[in-house]
Amino acid sequence: MPTDLAVIGAGPAGLAASIAAAARGVRVTLVDAAPSAGGQFYRQPATGLGARRAQALHHQWRTWTRLREGLDRHIAAGRVTHLTDHHVWNVERTSTGLTVHALSGPEQETPVAVRADAVLLATGGYERVLPFPGWTLPGVLTAGGAQAMLKGTLVVPGGRVVVAGTGPLLLPVATGLAAAGVAVAALVESAGPEDFARHAGALAAQPGKAVEGALYTARLLRHRVRILPRHTVLEAHGDDRLEAVTVAALDPAGRPRPGTARRIPCDTLAVGHGMLPHTELADTLGCRIDGVAGVAVDDEQRTDVPGVWAAGEATGIGGAALALAEGHIAGRSIAARLSGTAPDPRQWERVARSRAALRRFSTTLDGVYAPPAHWADQVDDATVVCRCEEVRAGTVREAVGRLGAGDLRTVKLLTRAGMGWCQGRICTPGVAGVAGCAPTAARSPFARPVPLDVLAREPLQEGPDAC
Amino acid sequence: MNPLELAGARPEPAFTVTFDDRELQALPGWTVAAALWAAGITSWRTTRRDGRPRGIFCGIGVCFDCLVTVNDRPNQRACLVAVRPGDVIRTQEGTGHAD
Ligand SMILES: Cc1cc2nc3c(=O)[nH]c(=O)nc-3n(C[C@H](O)[C@H](O)[C@H](O)COP(=O)(O)OP(=O)(O)OC[C@H]3O[C@@H](n4cnc5c(N)ncnc54)[C@H](O)[C@@H]3O)c2cc1C
Ligand code: FES
């Protein structure tokens, strides 16, 4: 299929970009790992489930309908090709453009290459979970993961759930689970009213968002969900599966208040401490990454690598509305640049204004929602911090103390933390916190595990490096 | 209200799969993880070092905690792989290879 633009990721950012570019005559191939379009926010129930009221699980359904219809129209007209179930593991720069390497098929072993003049990275993000005693017990999962299971398969975890951590995702997850008939025993949020009060002005500048939050809260109260602000989960209990959690109130310094610990029985803990961007593809392409914030882009959503744009949460966490705005601008910029003209940003001024406002709002939220300042003190030496390699906090502390490791890379080399299957995506923030080092973005040679025979066949721009 | 009712689902007919020789009912469109969860099963792997049970964690293919053996193929991510009629799902011990 002749392709001008390859879009990686069919979430809000990738869809908005594909539609904006296709409407301007660009031939788009949209590549996504999921079986259907939508990304995380608009994840759809699998077709075989015959859901006639999927909107009951969603917000902003009208926007989704518009995106879905736009995509279908461009697919029917032959302007967009949507490759579902395609996992991209590398994007390669060649003398004539860019090649996107994906794996497809039920076993993800069939290599597929898409050649394009431009690539948009719209790969979104994943949840950050900081370690605590018991977090490896079955029954403990990410808040977004619980949401993804609910939206995609209409299956809910267990019968009695605690939703905990910090961040704007906890409210929709708790309301979603409660509406689906799960008993939500508590919503445990480490931010407290004083954190919101400190940012009241900036929060009020986005009235729509404040109303959204209030609606969620009202719904939680209707489902009789207990909200515990300025609280944290100290420990998850159980032998081979979760049976209860201990929660405690936090003092102003972010330490558990003595005497406030209490046990809440539950079979599921949906936990998250904010989100991190997917940056691996950008990293192997050589794009500049802004620390742990995301792929660096200019006003047109261009990265510093020619022909490569990025939009949505891959460029920084900010929610679905921001992803839509960034994707739209990226799509228009790409359409102009591919036809050899510089775009006129005045044409997307309204969208750029909303992008700026949403970015300000998400910076404010970062100030409101933060994990307890001293969370690492609660992680005892026996707690596994790297889930893949089963590296304990004590081993990490020993690497820093007795062995003198001074940075995260040395800690990883000495302990093997971050060198397992997930390539450090999950454990990096936790290991960094326990070691007292600055976190860096997880670096891996490939965005997906790749069968060796595929590697042997594919020409590579860079070999896999040692760690 | 359960999620199927909430979403007004009219699923296609269920089919049978096995997990460690136990028969389970699965719906078309489910992932392996969904089928196991729906049957009340929360772990389907033991870790290489400490032999501890693990199941789903990130739910979106990032963490590799949910690895499971499906039809004799180890290291399948249960949260991504679609369940198919007749699948033989097994707890994955360690690396999933007899080593
Ligand atoms: C598990 C989870 C659940 C969430 N649930 C909610 C919610 O209920 N409410 C809410 O307000 N926000 C939710 N969020 C936040 C959500 O990420 C954003 O609001 C929004 O979806 C971001 O849009 P995006 O287009 O940037 O990325 P996403 O929507 O994340 O879309 C990225 C897409 O890229 C694909 N992708 C990524 N890497 C590759 C690759 N290598 N190869 C092929 N495809 C790839 C993914 O399959 C995905 O479809 C959730 C986040 C997560 C991680
Ligand atoms: S649960 Fe994380 S990869 Fe499946």
Side-chain angles (χ1 to χ4, degrees), chain A residues 40 43 45-54 56-57 87 106-109 125-127 129 135-142 144-146 148-150 152-158 176 179-182 238-241 268 271 278 384 386-392 420-422 425-426 448-449, chain B residues 1-13 26-65 67 70-71 73-82 84 92 94-95 97:
Chain A
Q40 302 302 349
R43 184 183 286 271
T47 322
L49 297 170
R52 289 161 302 150
R53 263 197 323 274
L57 307 163
H87 298 249
E107 319 283 2
Q108 288 169 36
E109 283 192 338
Y126 59 97
E127 227 170 340
V129 185
W135 76 309
T136 51
L137 279 172
V140 179
L141 80 161
T142 65
M149 288 288 280
L150 170 60
T153 66
L154 306 178
V155 172
V156 284
V182 179
D239 291 326
D240 285 339
R241 59 167 301 165
T268 308
V271 61
H278 274 300
V384 164
C386 166
R387 302 172 67 96
C388 301
E389 293 294 305
E390 298 172 82
V391 180
R392 293 172 194 276
W421 273 98
C422 89
R425 287 187 187 89
I426 302 296
R448 287 286 183 276
Chain B
M1 178 90 75
N2 71 39
L4 288 162
E5 289 162 6
L6 179 68
R10 282 203 195 134
E12 289 161 22
L27 291 178
W30 273 358
T31 55
V32 168
L36 294 171
W37 255 19
I41 299 159
T42 52
S43 63
W44 46 82
R45 172 169 88 91
T46 57
T47 58
R48 273 172 298 151
R49 220 190 77 162
D50 299 337
R52 297 293 298 154
R54 295 279 176 87
I56 201 163
F57 184 66
C58 74
I60 59 166
V62 174
C63 74
F64 293 82
D65 247 4
L67 297 179
V70 183
N71 302 329
R73 293 180 56 94
N75 298 323
Q76 305 296 305
R77 279 172 284 177
C79 70
L80 295 185
V81 175
R84 283 169 294 184
Q92 177 167 330
T95 59
H97 299 284

Side-chain angles (χ1 to χ4, degrees), chain A residues 186-197:
Chain A
L187 171 59
V188 182
E189 165 62 63
S190 59
E194 58 288 4
D195 300 306
F196 288 90

Side-chain angles (χ1 to χ4, degrees), chain A residues 9 11-13 32-33 39-41 86 88 122-125 144 147 151 169 312-313 319-320:
Chain A
D32 191 277
Q40 302 302 349
F41 190 82
H86 279 61
V88 176
T123 46
Q147 183 83 325
K151 285 182 177 175
L169 186 56
E313 297 207 308

Side-chain angles (χ1 to χ4, degrees), chain A residues 392-460:
Chain A
R392 293 172 194 276
T395 312
V396 169
R397 291 186 176 121
E398 189 185 45
V400 176
R402 200 166 61 78
L403 304 177
D407 58 64
L408 199 54
R409 196 181 140 76
T410 315
V411 170
K412 290 182 169 186
L413 286 172
L414 288 173
T415 63
R416 290 201 55 76
M419 295 197 182
W421 273 98
C422 89
Q423 300 175 310
R425 287 187 187 89
I426 302 296
C427 72
T428 297
V431 172
V434 166
C437 304
T440 47
R443 294 190 74 142
S444 59
F446 306 121
R448 287 286 183 276
V450 186
L452 283 178
D453 59 323
V454 173
L455 281 184
R457 271 176 280 154
E458 298 289 343
L460 276 185

